[in-house]
Amino acid sequence: MKLTVARIGRAHGLKGEVSVELHTDIPEERLVPGEALETEPAAAGPLTIESVRTQSGRWYVRFDEVTTREGADAVRGVELVIDAEESDEDDAWFVHELVGLAAVRPDGEKLGEVVDLLSMPAQDLLVIKQPDGHRAMVPFVEEFVPEVDIDAGTVTLTPPYGLLSGETPEATGETHGAS
């Protein structure tokens, strides 16, 4: 099984540099000059990293095989992947392992179902489809997602008031002193 490290984004400049959307907590170890990474689709690679830089929180990569803007445009959307056995990231899950899990409170109250995982610059977001059809985005951080239990088919959530539809401050323990 393959683990996605990053997805190639837009071309940056005229000489083949691209932005990448990270799917790893350790990009400085995964995106190393000289490293050849497999791709999905496989026909697009492998791609060998020539250089890596960050600017304003974004990561930019240049590959030996991509030397023009047209080449960079051609690899947009390609995923850089590694064998899952090579992953040494703690608490790392595949998106397909999370999708379909029941989202519950610590007391077992069902809040909905995980339907997606979005990778954002600050942190990943779990997308939860609630019974009323509302889609809530919960930051995938330990404070709000203290437990993922793949075997039990659940992800425990402790989101702050306001992230889920139809809740009251009392339900989240965030009452702010009554008058």
Side-chain angles (χ1 to χ4, degrees), residues 130-149:
Q130 295 182 251
D132 65 3
H134 176 80
R135 289 179 184 257
M137 290 187 241
V138 178
F140 197 6
V141 295
E142 190 170 353
E143 181 179 354
F144 302 145
V145 187
E147 182 179 6
V148 174
D149 189 337

Side-chain angles (χ1 to χ4, degrees), residues 105-162:
R105 288 199 191 277
D107 65 6
E109 175 193 353
K110 185 163 184 188
L111 299 172
E113 178 181 324
V114 177
V115 294
D116 202 358
L117 176 70
L118 304 176
S119 291
M120 305 303 282
Q123 75 266 327
D124 292 341
L125 297 173
L126 277 179
V127 180
I128 309 298
K129 184 176 180 186
Q130 295 182 251
D132 65 3
H134 176 80
R135 289 179 184 257
M137 290 187 241
V138 178
F140 197 6
V141 295
E142 190 170 353
E143 181 179 354
F144 302 145
V145 187
E147 182 179 6
V148 174
D149 189 337
I150 301 292
D151 294 333
T154 61
V155 57
T156 303
L157 302 181
T158 57
Y161 172 68

Side-chain angles (χ1 to χ4, degrees), residues 34-57:
E35 185 77 21
L37 294 169
E38 294 180 51
T39 59
E40 184 60 44
L47 294 174
T48 305
I49 297 173
E50 178 182 308
S51 64
V52 178
R53 69 182 180 91
T54 60
Q55 180 179 338
S56 302

Side-chain angles (χ1 to χ4, degrees), residues 2-7 21 23-24 40 79-82 94:
K2 301 293 182 188
L3 178 64
T4 300
V5 172
R7 177 176 288 122
E21 175 187 315
H23 291 263
T24 177
E40 184 60 44
E79 295 182 358
L80 303 173
V81 298
I82 61 169
F94 294 107

